[in-house]
Amino acid sequence: MTGTPQGERKVLRVLEGEAIGPPPAWMMRQAGRYLPEYRASRAEAGSFLDLCYNPDFAVEVTLQPIRRFGFDAAILFSDILVVPHALGQDVRFVEGEGPRLDPLDGREAFSQLREAGDPAVMTHLAPVFETVKRLRAELPRETTLLGFCGAPWTVASYMIGGRGTPDLAPARALAEGDTALVDTLIDRLVTVQTDYLVRQLEAGADAVQIFESHAGTLPLAVPAAGGTVEPVGDVAESALPDASVDALTRWSLRPIARMIAGVRARVPGAKIIVFARGSGLDGHARVVPETAADAIGVDWGVDLKALRARVPASTVTQGNLHPDTLIEGGAALDAAVDTVLAATAGLPHIFNLGHGITPQTPVAHVERMLARLRG
Ligand code: CP3
């Protein structure tokens, strides 16, 4: 493959199973408020959603961390919540507070959403595909371009609760009370987001990441079924309750598996990373067997060495430096980089953080991290 532009893209090569030392690197939230140039673009664009839907701005902020640090992958600048927005839900980003949606608190609110097949959904998202297309043309040929979306449970939990809460109580209450409604919502998100990822790949993304940032709110041991009432409209058979599986499988890994199969049916060989944050060592180890993902995004709470011992040597991992250690810097940061390298030496691994970089991170610490990594 080397010689083709794709063969020069190290992140893509690792996703194909190659071990590269030192590993290629990118950071979740690498375009963001820790960068002065991002804050300038953000101020110029007006609102956060204007930044996401304006390809001129979205291309610019995606490229900023690539220019500054030469990361091996660029991740499309957008947000997981543009999908609920495309489905017709009101989405706002409140300064200093985060996203706010009109809570989807029952069947009446659900019936107001657009159907999965409504062409208005993909029309709403068209600026995202334009951004991807322009990015692939403007990025250095060796830089892997990543598209993304949220996993259905994570997106559904924001849609139901209207905001992120530590325990996602509203989403879990609805999941216990009106199980069928949650199944139906997740089913709709599977359909829409499969299409969404396919279009990102067709527009020029080399690979995609699915963010299950709220996997940790799904208790592993508890059976998921129960409280079922009449299905709401058409639900795919594979989305129907099954008492034999736990909540992580039912609401997270199985919907993700359906998305991955759906994407690959239309884009054969599509490369897909799944980040199941908070699912623990066991949850992380289940990602590849249960979803057929190409790589496990590892959060900072998981012992990377222990995970590598649990999974086959051919499994691709990504992660998992603690974002707080990046804030701390100095010798602690050097040691943390070395720990990741030691845990993954000779194995297919993509260097990353264990969650997104935070706004208070000094730029110099990112430089130090990369210098240590690249030797
Ligand atoms: O650089 C990149 O990683 C690409 C862009 C990207 C953003 N959000 C930009 C963003 C990506 C991949 C996301 C994914 C996302 N969005 C997730 C999954 C990853 C994770 O962090 O767990 C989630 C849960 C969201 C929802 C979301 N968007 C939240 C909770 C917030 C508020 C938190 C915060 O940092 O303010 C956002 C806003 C957001 N998304 C910002 C950025 C750069 C900050 C907004 C701003 O500029 O004011």
Side-chain angles (χ1 to χ4, degrees):
M1 264 266 272
T2 317
T4 64
Q6 286 79 4
E8 292 173 24
R9 294 176 192 153
K10 288 183 185 169
V11 169
L12 199 52
R13 276 164 52 198
V14 175
L15 290 174
E16 281 160 359
E18 193 180 330
I20 300 181
W26 67 283
M27 292 191 314
M28 290 188 275
R29 289 277 174 93
Q30 63 190 18
R33 286 165 295 185
Y34 74 106
L35 288 179
E37 59 269 38
Y38 171 85
R39 294 195 299 270
S41 296
R42 171 85 160 75
E44 211 190 317
S47 77
F48 175 69
L49 282 174
D50 287 330
L51 203 56
C52 294
Y53 292 130
N54 181 324
D56 292 336
F57 281 116
V59 167
E60 166 58 24
V61 296
T62 304
L63 295 175
Q64 285 168 351
I66 307 304
R67 288 191 202 113
R68 199 189 255 272
F69 306 113
F71 285 123
D72 296 286
I75 182 159
L76 159 73
F77 190 85
S78 183
D79 197 85
I80 63 168
L81 300 176
V82 297
V83 170
H85 201 214
L87 285 169
Q89 197 169 10
D90 190 39
V91 177
R92 324 169 276 288
F93 285 85
V94 182
E95 202 60 59
E97 285 185 40
R100 291 288 179 274
L101 296 77
D102 285 346
L104 203 156
D105 50 8
R107 294 183 175 217
E108 170 61 30
F110 180 78
S111 70
Q112 310 286 315
L113 293 181
R114 291 187 173 122
E115 299 283 342
D118 186 334
V121 177
M122 288 301 139
T123 303
H124 179 102
L125 297 167
V128 175
F129 311 132
E130 174 64 21
T131 301
V132 172
K133 192 176 143 212
R134 289 200 211 168
L135 277 170
R136 192 55 278 172
E138 289 192 33
L139 278 167
R141 52 189 260 152
E142 69 273 15
T143 311
T144 300
L145 175 57
L146 299 172
F148 74 92
C149 71
W153 167 255
T154 292
V155 177
S157 67
Y158 278 104
M159 293 178 78
I160 294 164
R163 59 192 292 174
T165 58
D167 61 350
L168 298 180
R172 291 197 304 168
L174 193 62
E176 277 164 31
D178 192 347
T179 316
L181 182 60
V182 176
D183 282 328
T184 312
L185 175 59
I186 284 185
D187 195 47
R188 186 165 304 180
L189 289 167
V190 166
T191 307
V192 167
Q193 297 201 122
T194 298
D195 201 18
Y196 184 48
L197 291 182
V198 165
R199 293 192 192 216
Q200 292 180 34
L201 289 160
E202 286 174 348
D206 295 302
V208 292
Q209 174 155 322
I210 299 175
F211 287 90
E212 185 71 288
S213 300
H214 291 165
T217 54
L218 290 165
L220 293 175
V222 178
T228 309
V229 292
E230 282 297 292
V232 192
D234 292 333
V235 183
E237 203 178 327
S238 50
L240 288 174
D242 175 350
S244 69
V245 301
D246 68 13
L248 185 72
T249 289
R250 176 175 177 180
W251 279 309
S252 175
L253 299 178
R254 198 172 279 180
I256 291 170
R258 290 170 60 216
M259 284 175 59
I260 291 178
V263 169
R264 294 216 183 106
R266 289 165 62 192
V267 184
K271 294 292 171 220
I272 303 171
I273 306 163
V274 170
F275 176 60
R277 184 169 77 93
S279 64
L281 184 63
D282 288 334
H284 280 66
R286 284 164 57 183
V287 164
V288 171
E290 291 196 36
T291 71
D294 296 284
I296 315 170
V298 185
D299 74 37
W300 54 259
V302 166
D303 179 340
L304 188 54
K305 200 171 172 208
L307 178 66
R308 290 289 351 181
R310 273 276 290 275
V311 301
S314 58
T315 299
V316 182
T317 47
Q318 173 181 280
N320 76 335
L321 193 125
H322 201 308
D324 290 350
T325 311
L326 189 56
I327 297 173
E328 195 182 340
L333 175 58
D334 292 348
V337 171
D338 294 351
T339 300
V340 171
L341 292 178
T344 57
L347 299 167
H349 184 73
I350 299 161
F351 189 91
N352 204 315
L353 304 182
H355 197 199
I357 186 170
T358 48
Q360 64 269 42
T361 307
V363 167
H365 293 187
V366 178
E367 286 160 358
R368 182 173 181 137
M369 175 189 84
L370 290 173
R372 185 79 181 182
L373 177 69
R374 292 167 178 164

